[in-house]
Amino acid sequence: MVLQSTARDLYARSQSYANSLAPVSKAVSSEEDHRQSQRGADPWESLKEYVTGFTKESPGVQFCFISWKIGSVDRASNAQTYSTVSCARCGKSANLQCPKCVELKLPREGSAFCTQDCFKASWSSHKSVHLKAKLSTVRAVTPEEQISSLPNEGWLYCLKKGQARTEKLPHFDWTGTLRPYPISKLHTVPAHIDKPDWAIDGVPKIEPSSDLQHVVEIKTSEQIERMRETCRIAREVLDAAARVIRPGMTTDEIDEVVHEATIAAGAYPSPLNYHFFPKSCCTSVNEVICHGIPDARTLEDGDIVNVDVTVYYKGVHGDLNETYFVGNVDEASQHLVRSTYECLEKAISIVKPGVRFREVGEVINRHASMSGLSVVRSYCGHGIGELFHCAPNIPHYGKNKAVGVMKAGQTFSIEPMINAGVWRDRMWPDGWTAVTADGKRSAQFEHTLLVTETGVEVLTGRLPSSPNVFPWLNV
């Protein structure tokens, strides 16, 4: 559809186009039109406001964008000139432009598309352009300035494992320098995506009473194939998060990337509303050991952040996490993160039929101790499949009492949490965030594994396309 050259005609036609779509939760009213005309409002600005409002207020039409010839309007003469722009996906001549890019005043190159189908197919990667544009305008602000600038709706502190919110920072004897920040509202998931049984009310029904809490399941070949597919999606989602991490962004923005990438793959973010957890992934910064809640805090140069992703697809879960450097990180933190990575790699290397589960902790504990670090004891690896968490429990510390031996067909996670100081942990008032008792830093890595007849298959292993973020892998 090619619209006529005047901005007002363009605006009117965009309303007509939008009204033909469903669902539409908001349209510019005739009263608003009248008020704007009385004020002498610029019709081109009205169009921009409308497009922005329409895409924000109509989540069911995520990929809807107004179709117009890309060109410039001479408002004095109503003349329009056109320039050739290529589709950001396929390279064909493009006449359409992403409305968010228009709002952010981004160049047409890289934001133009030839068809709605190309726009939809590119959405999971294209939206990172919007995030980069926002990050480029970030300046250093105080926590008070950052919190006061947040939208009023939804931005509250989390309490009681996600079942309550408060406007005030909770009182707590904080162990380190990190503090919780307000969190945004719960994400929504499209109706067509299959969901686990806690998605609506926050309460898992099948998992707690399942026999698989006591018996380690041997997966069928069909289950294993579904696990492979799901774990591949989980890896790609985590990689999408890794690509955007940098100083100046918030962990809430990381969570948004994880959520959108998961949904784009047709999967459900397993943590979302699991026992009322309020976000689609866990982001654990500095002294946070695990289960950090994505919030409005801005990542700072020198931070470390763990991103823990689990997705639910075709009836099974895939779980992994990695710890990333934010900007320039000190040598002690580099040593901590690399040693934690090595702990996981050494543990994976012994996985094969006949190995006792308790031996995993011995291997991890030995390497951590030799590195001058300690192993968290409160959290462990776990079985995974059609249930998010099930048998076996796999402690990461030495001299543990885990029972059982590995057998071909079992799937489970190993996820050592390694501290720079003491191994003990404390819980924040939100009921989820576990932090080191002495405020020193903690790191973690995790994979979902399949025991094979001859050894192990890392179902969530890195891909050729995975971002190159760990310097020691280049040696």
Side-chain angles (χ1 to χ4, degrees):
M1 175 171 65
V2 180
L3 304 185
Q4 295 183 8
S5 58
T6 67
R8 184 169 294 281
D9 191 22
L10 179 60
Y11 171 62
R13 287 175 180 259
S14 71
Q15 284 187 292
S16 175
Y17 177 70
N19 290 334
S20 70
L21 297 168
V24 176
S25 60
K26 179 180 179 182
V28 177
S29 67
S30 58
E31 290 183 353
E32 178 65 14
D33 287 342
H34 177 70
R35 286 197 299 270
Q36 290 184 357
S37 64
Q38 293 298 311
R39 293 195 302 264
D42 187 333
W44 181 251
E45 293 301 319
S46 298
L47 171 64
K48 288 168 64 179
E49 291 177 7
Y50 170 75
V51 171
T52 302
F54 178 74
T55 54
K56 285 182 177 177
E57 297 290 339
S58 305
V61 196
Q62 289 185 37
F63 302 110
C64 168
F65 62 116
I66 308 304
S67 174
W68 71 87
K69 274 284 185 183
I70 296 176
S72 58
V73 178
D74 184 336
R75 300 183 189 182
S77 63
N78 287 339
Q80 188 172 26
T81 60
Y82 299 105
S83 59
T84 302
V85 181
S86 299
C87 176
R89 179 171 182 264
C90 68
K92 295 180 181 178
S93 178
N95 297 326
L96 313 175
Q97 189 172 9
C98 168
K100 189 66 176 179
C101 292
V102 173
E103 177 192 347
L104 296 173
K105 299 180 180 179
L106 300 181
R108 290 174 293 169
E109 293 76 10
S111 66
F113 297 89
C114 60
T115 63
Q116 290 274 1
D117 289 338
C118 265
F119 184 53
K120 291 180 181 180
S122 301
W123 178 246
S124 61
S125 57
H126 173 70
K127 64 189 176 186
S128 65
V129 173
H130 309 150
L131 183 58
K132 290 176 183 177
K134 291 178 182 177
L135 292 176
S136 67
T137 63
V138 171
R139 68 174 182 87
V141 294
T142 65
E144 292 76 15
E145 287 177 321
Q146 188 178 3
I147 293 173
S148 65
S149 68
L150 296 172
N152 291 328
E153 187 176 3
W155 291 97
L156 299 168
Y157 294 98
C158 179
L159 293 174
K160 297 182 179 180
K161 298 203 73 172
Q163 298 181 71
R165 302 286 189 274
T166 179
E167 294 181 352
K168 296 182 179 180
L169 177 68
H171 175 73
F172 187 69
D173 183 17
W174 311 102
T175 64
T177 59
L178 199 68
R179 300 291 183 272
Y181 275 60
I183 67 171
S184 57
K185 294 192 298 184
L186 208 68
H187 287 299
T188 58
V189 178
H192 71 273
I193 290 179
D194 289 336
K195 303 172 181 64
D197 63 7
W198 58 81
I200 303 302
D201 62 5
V203 180
K205 285 80 174 175
I206 298 172
E207 182 175 291
S209 58
S210 171
D211 290 341
L212 296 181
Q213 297 301 337
H214 313 286
V215 178
V216 182
E217 181 181 34
I218 304 298
K219 301 291 192 298
T220 65
S221 58
E222 185 271 338
Q223 287 175 310
I224 290 171
E225 195 53 45
R226 283 190 285 139
M227 288 288 291
R228 286 194 179 103
E229 193 171 355
T230 301
C231 287
R232 167 84 180 221
I233 293 173
R235 162 51 67 181
E236 291 172 344
V237 170
L238 183 62
D239 287 348
R243 291 186 184 98
V244 301
I245 291 173
R246 68 202 68 192
M249 75 179 308
T250 67
T251 50
D252 184 80
E253 290 172 319
I254 296 174
D255 180 72
E256 183 177 353
V257 170
V258 167
H259 184 82
E260 294 298 334
T262 304
I263 298 307
Y268 180 92
S270 305
L272 184 62
N273 215 25
Y274 179 72
H275 292 290
F276 307 102
F277 188 81
K279 290 295 170 182
S280 296
C281 69
C282 301
T283 53
S284 302
V285 180
N286 296 344
E287 68 261 31
V288 178
I289 295 171
C290 62
H291 303 157
I293 301 174
D295 61 21
R297 179 187 179 272
T298 299
L299 292 175
E300 299 175 359
D301 186 67
D303 284 344
I304 60 173
V305 57
N306 177 275
V307 182
D308 194 337
V309 166
T310 312
V311 305
Y312 179 74
Y313 183 72
K314 292 189 175 180
V316 295
H317 301 270
D319 190 3
L320 78 162
N321 72 58
E322 291 179 340
T323 301
Y324 303 108
F325 301 128
V326 182
N328 300 306
V329 176
D330 61 66
E331 290 186 9
S333 296
Q334 292 181 42
H335 172 70
L336 170 65
V337 173
R338 178 169 183 171
S339 297
T340 306
Y341 181 94
E342 292 168 349
C343 282
L344 176 58
E345 291 297 301
K346 289 179 181 297
I348 292 173
S349 70
I350 70 165
V351 174
K352 62 181 179 181
V355 173
R356 295 180 298 174
F357 290 119
R358 69 181 62 175
E359 293 181 39
V360 170
E362 299 295 340
V363 170
I364 292 171
N365 196 82
R366 185 181 307 116
H367 187 68
S369 297
M370 291 177 62
S371 303
L373 306 168
S374 64
V375 182
V376 174
R377 299 186 174 209
S378 302
Y379 303 92
C380 61
H382 55 88
I384 188 170
E386 293 176 355
L387 301 181
F388 192 173
H389 298 95
C390 56
N393 289 331
I394 304 178
H396 305 115
Y397 55 91
K399 298 181 181 179
N400 66 79
K401 300 185 185 303
V403 298
V405 299
M406 301 176 190
K407 298 178 181 179
Q410 295 172 342
T411 56
F412 50 81
S413 73
I414 300 178
E415 46 186 299
M417 288 146 272
I418 309 298
N419 294 350
V422 300
W423 62 263
R424 291 179 176 84
D425 61 278
R426 293 188 61 192
M427 183 69 68
W428 272 6
D430 59 36
W432 280 108
T433 306
V435 296
T436 57
D438 57 6
K440 294 185 178 180
R441 292 188 170 188
S442 182
Q444 183 186 17
F445 284 86
E446 175 186 19
H447 277 305
T448 295
L449 309 172
L450 166 69
V451 182
T452 66
E453 295 291 347
T454 57
V456 62
E457 178 181 343
V458 182
L459 298 178
T460 49
R462 293 177 62 80
L463 304 170
S465 60
S466 294
N468 182 17
V469 293
F470 301 121
W472 56 85
L473 296 182
N474 299 325
V475 177

